[in-house]
Amino acid sequence: MSLFRYSYYDTPDGKDLIKKLFYTNKQVSIIGFGLATSEIILVSKPFGYLNTAYRYGQLMGPMFAATSTFCLVTHLSTNIRGKDDMVNYAIGGFSTGIITGILLNQKMVGTWLAVALACIGAAKKHSKLNNYEFHPTFPKFRKPIHGDFRTPYKNWSLYEMRPKGWIAAEERQE
């Protein structure tokens, strides 16, 4: 399987660490670059290329550290414990919160984040083990009758298309 088409749950936990790190950091780079760019343009407005690159590092570094920490700790705890269960994700989420608190230099934020991410991680793994969606997603292909802003069809008309051969009442000859 190609590294670019890989998804996190294609292989079981405890295997293919490099692929999982690449996948999670790829997702974070897409989201983080957008968030960091909007913060740089709207809030901090650094002067010069070096200061801008430094600001990107300040904003995106904790994001990469958090996702990499989750992947590494979950991988290690799965291999050390020999079980693939919710505890591994809870350990990974807890360590991610602690690392984030250390990087942000705020101990209380890190503590509460660790507890919250441990609960979220355990709930996510529980959803994967019991085959239900943790957060619902939109279907990939939709064909609404009147169209909406999520469709590529751009049919924003208020009424359905008239059948072929339809003639308006004013144009009918009686």
Side-chain angles (χ1 to χ4, degrees):
M1 173 174 288
S2 172
L3 190 60
F4 292 102
R5 293 181 185 260
Y6 182 79
S7 179
Y8 191 84
Y9 295 105
D10 285 347
T11 56
D13 287 332
K15 297 185 178 0
D16 291 335
L17 176 64
I18 302 299
K19 288 182 180 180
K20 290 183 186 252
L21 281 171
F22 183 79
Y23 174 76
T24 55
N25 286 328
K26 180 178 68 170
Q27 299 297 322
V28 164
S29 66
I30 293 168
I31 296 167
F33 187 74
L35 291 173
T37 301
S38 61
E39 196 277 338
I40 285 170
I41 290 172
L42 298 174
V43 179
S44 63
K45 301 176 184 173
F47 183 73
Y49 294 118
L50 191 59
N51 290 334
T52 304
Y54 178 71
R55 188 66 183 149
Y56 271 112
Q58 279 182 326
L59 294 171
M60 292 178 64
M63 294 180 199
F64 285 120
T67 55
S68 298
T69 301
F70 179 79
C71 286
L72 286 169
V73 171
T74 304
H75 177 80
L76 288 174
S77 65
T78 302
N79 288 334
I80 290 171
R81 293 181 66 237
K83 296 179 187 177
D84 187 15
D85 58 357
M86 298 183 307
V87 176
N88 298 329
Y89 272 47
I91 293 169
F94 190 82
S95 62
T96 299
I98 294 295
I99 290 293
T100 306
I102 290 170
L103 289 174
L104 295 177
N105 201 15
Q106 296 184 359
K107 295 174 186 158
M108 286 306 294
V109 170
T111 303
W112 288 110
L113 196 60
V115 172
L117 289 177
C119 294
I120 291 170
K124 175 67 176 171
K125 186 61 177 183
H126 186 268
S127 73
K128 282 296 176 188
L129 291 175
N130 296 323
N131 295 325
Y132 66 90
E133 277 189 273
F134 182 66
H135 51 85
T137 58
F138 288 111
K140 292 190 184 234
F141 299 105
R142 300 175 14 172
K143 278 195 165 185
I145 295 171
H146 301 296
D148 63 359
F149 291 108
R150 292 192 189 104
T151 60
Y153 305 109
K154 306 280 194 270
N155 182 10
W156 297 335
S157 60
L158 298 176
Y159 303 105
E160 293 183 25
M161 294 294 292
R162 296 176 180 157
K164 193 169 187 172
W166 185 84
I167 300 172
E170 300 86 27
E171 298 174 2
R172 290 188 200 150
Q173 296 177 1
E174 297 179 308

